[in-house]
């Protein structure tokens, strides 16, 4: 992405590596904007599949986040991945708990493709330095469950919910982001092609067991892991190094939640109603796991929330965004 002083290139489609050329003769599903409308400010995250930068829309002065989709082999961008992610974001347009897409933009010379989104703030992972109270956790989970309800209602499975992929706005609003691994939900019994999805510590038991036909319940397990992390201030499976480690600890957790109170000994402020929600999210069997709508209808959410701590919501000098790994 170039600064505004760069000469505007030829119209979209004139380069052999343009999005139009990469898509072949098929009509593009999106009308691409120009990346030259944006001025790069700083890099926020970088990894195998792309880069996210903080940028300024030179037409409006608005600060945005721009995700570059790294080309796969040669110069052609993976337009299917772009369309899939943009389509999932489009399906959630307007929801306050999901990061909002502004447009899909392209570099008319190189053919690189970008998803332009609202700039929110740092990741929850970067700001969570202490355990939250039960009331703070409820306020956070209310937002995240509403976001998951919207995603699943739109027929999307996120498949990578974790604190790194949750953004914290200055006023305390939380937004689920990075839908790069999200896909339209498949009919029951129809497998997904990917062998591995979701970060290890947030990977549901059915995924750990190698299942490739699953559903939105994998996101609910991940939200149960996030809820626990909010309550204890650190990842639930932080010492696990392999899938077997997480799977064995998940089995132990199931027993501890159903048979004893040991699973909640580090959560003294969590009410019995809150424990019921956590048990439901972290049910070992996917078919017994709470849906987002069921969780939100639980009596725990009849209790009063507390605003998130100013320390959690305050902006650091360098705002974080999506962590590509």
């Amino acid at each position: 992405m170039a600064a505004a002083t760069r000469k505007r290139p030829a119209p979209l489609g004139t380069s052999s590596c343009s999005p139009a050329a990469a898509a072949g003769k098929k009509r593009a599903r999106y009308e691409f904007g120009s990346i030259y409308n944006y001025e790069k400010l700083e890099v926020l995250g970088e990894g195998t599949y792309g880069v996210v930068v903080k940028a300024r829309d030179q037409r409006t002065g608005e600060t945005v986040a721009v995700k570059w989709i790294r080309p796969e082999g040669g110069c052609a961008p993976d337009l299917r991945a772009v369309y899939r992610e943009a389509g999932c974001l489009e399906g959630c347009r307007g929801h306050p708990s999901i990061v909002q897409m502004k447009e899909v933009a392209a570099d008319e010379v190189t053919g690189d493709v970008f998803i332009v989104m609202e700039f929110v703030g740092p990741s929850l992972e970067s700001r969570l330095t202490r355990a939250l109270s039960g009331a703070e956790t409820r306020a956070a989970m209310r937002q995240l469950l509403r976001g998951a309800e919207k995603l699943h209602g739109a027929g999307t499975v996120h498949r990578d919910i974790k604190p790194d992929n949750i953004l914290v706005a200055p006023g305390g609003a939380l937004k689920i982001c990075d839908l790069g691994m999200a896909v339209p939900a498949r009919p029951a019994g129809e497998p997904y092609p990917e062998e591995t999805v979701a970060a290890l510590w947030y990977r549901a038991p059915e995924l750990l067991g190698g299942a490739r036909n699953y559903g939105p319940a994998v996101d609910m397990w991940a939200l149960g892991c996030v809820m626990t992390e909010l309550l204890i201030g650190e990842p639930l499976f932080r010492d696990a190094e392999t899938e077997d480690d997480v799977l064995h600890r998940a089995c132990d957790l199931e027993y501890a939640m159903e048979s004893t109170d040991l699973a909640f000994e580090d959560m003294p402020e969590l009410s019995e109603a809150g424990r019921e929600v956590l048990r439901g999210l972290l049910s070992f069997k996917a078919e017994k796991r709470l849906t987002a709508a069921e969780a939100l209808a639980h009596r725990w959410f009849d209790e009063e929330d507390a605003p998130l701590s100013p320390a959690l919501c305050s902006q650091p000098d360098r705002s974080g965004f999506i962590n590509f790994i």
Side-chain angles (χ1 to χ4, degrees):
M1 184 166 59
T5 54
R6 178 170 174 174
K7 184 178 180 181
R8 188 175 179 83
L12 179 62
T14 59
S15 167
S16 61
C17 293
S18 70
K25 295 183 179 180
K26 292 183 178 180
R27 184 176 180 180
R29 293 170 56 189
Y30 287 90
E31 181 178 347
F32 293 98
S34 175
I35 197 59
Y36 297 102
N37 289 325
Y38 301 94
E39 177 187 5
K40 176 180 174 181
L41 300 177
E42 62 176 310
V43 175
L44 299 174
E46 184 172 359
T48 303
Y49 301 109
V51 177
V52 173
V53 303
K54 182 178 179 180
R56 179 182 295 110
D57 187 332
Q58 297 179 97
R59 298 163 294 183
T60 65
E62 181 183 12
T63 300
V64 297
V66 179
K67 178 177 181 179
W68 169 54
I69 309 299
R70 193 184 300 277
E72 289 189 1
C75 65
D78 184 357
L79 289 184
R80 289 174 300 178
V82 175
Y83 291 150
R84 185 175 62 243
E85 182 171 357
C88 291
L89 286 167
E90 182 66 30
C92 297
R93 185 175 292 279
H95 197 280
S97 297
I98 300 172
V99 69
Q100 295 297 291
M101 179 180 69
K102 295 187 172 295
E103 69 170 341
V104 179
D107 185 319
E108 298 92 326
V109 172
T110 67
D112 289 340
V113 180
F114 308 79
I115 297 178
V116 182
M117 296 165 283
E118 64 175 327
F119 179 80
V120 178
S123 70
L124 179 62
E125 191 275 336
S126 71
R127 305 305 292 162
L128 188 61
T129 57
R130 65 165 180 86
L132 303 187
S133 69
E136 286 178 303
T137 298
R138 183 169 50 253
M141 291 303 299
R142 190 188 303 275
Q143 296 181 67
L144 297 177
L145 287 166
R146 285 173 175 168
E149 183 181 33
K150 176 63 177 179
L151 278 166
H152 298 161
T156 296
V157 186
H158 189 285
R159 305 197 303 178
D160 198 23
I161 293 177
K162 57 185 178 181
D164 262 350
N165 289 340
I166 297 168
L167 305 179
V168 185
L174 300 181
K175 292 177 179 279
I176 297 171
C177 70
D178 193 359
L179 274 65
M181 202 173 284
V183 290
R186 296 195 168 200
E190 183 177 326
Y192 293 90
E194 298 85 1
E195 293 185 4
T196 303
V197 296
L200 177 61
W201 292 346
Y202 307 89
R203 196 173 297 162
E206 57 269 33
L207 297 176
L208 294 167
R212 289 170 60 181
N213 45 349
Y214 47 81
V218 300
D219 290 343
M220 304 314 297
W221 173 273
L223 285 171
C225 294
V226 171
M227 178 175 169
T228 306
E229 192 163 341
L230 294 172
L231 289 162
I232 65 176
E234 55 188 13
L236 174 60
F237 299 116
R238 60 193 176 279
D239 298 326
E241 298 181 355
T242 67
E243 288 191 334
D244 283 344
D245 289 343
V246 178
L247 192 58
H248 291 152
R249 292 185 60 178
C251 290
D252 292 341
L253 178 66
E254 174 86 352
Y255 175 81
M257 287 194 300
E258 296 298 331
S259 305
T260 72
D261 286 330
L262 293 178
F264 305 104
E265 60 183 353
D266 293 331
M267 312 172 198
E269 293 192 16
L270 187 62
S271 65
E272 180 54 38
R275 295 181 182 192
E276 291 172 3
V277 171
L278 191 55
R279 287 189 189 100
L281 295 175
L282 292 178
S283 174
F284 193 88
K285 294 184 177 180
E287 62 271 19
K288 293 185 177 181
R289 216 167 288 152
L290 288 175
T291 66
E294 288 169 345
L296 286 166
H298 192 276
R299 63 190 178 97
W300 187 47
F301 289 101
D302 294 334
E303 301 176 29
E304 187 175 354
D305 297 341
L308 296 181
S309 163
L312 182 68
C313 304
S314 62
Q315 292 275 19
D317 293 336
R318 185 180 183 279
S319 298
F321 196 71
I322 301 170
N323 181 27
F324 288 93
I325 55 175

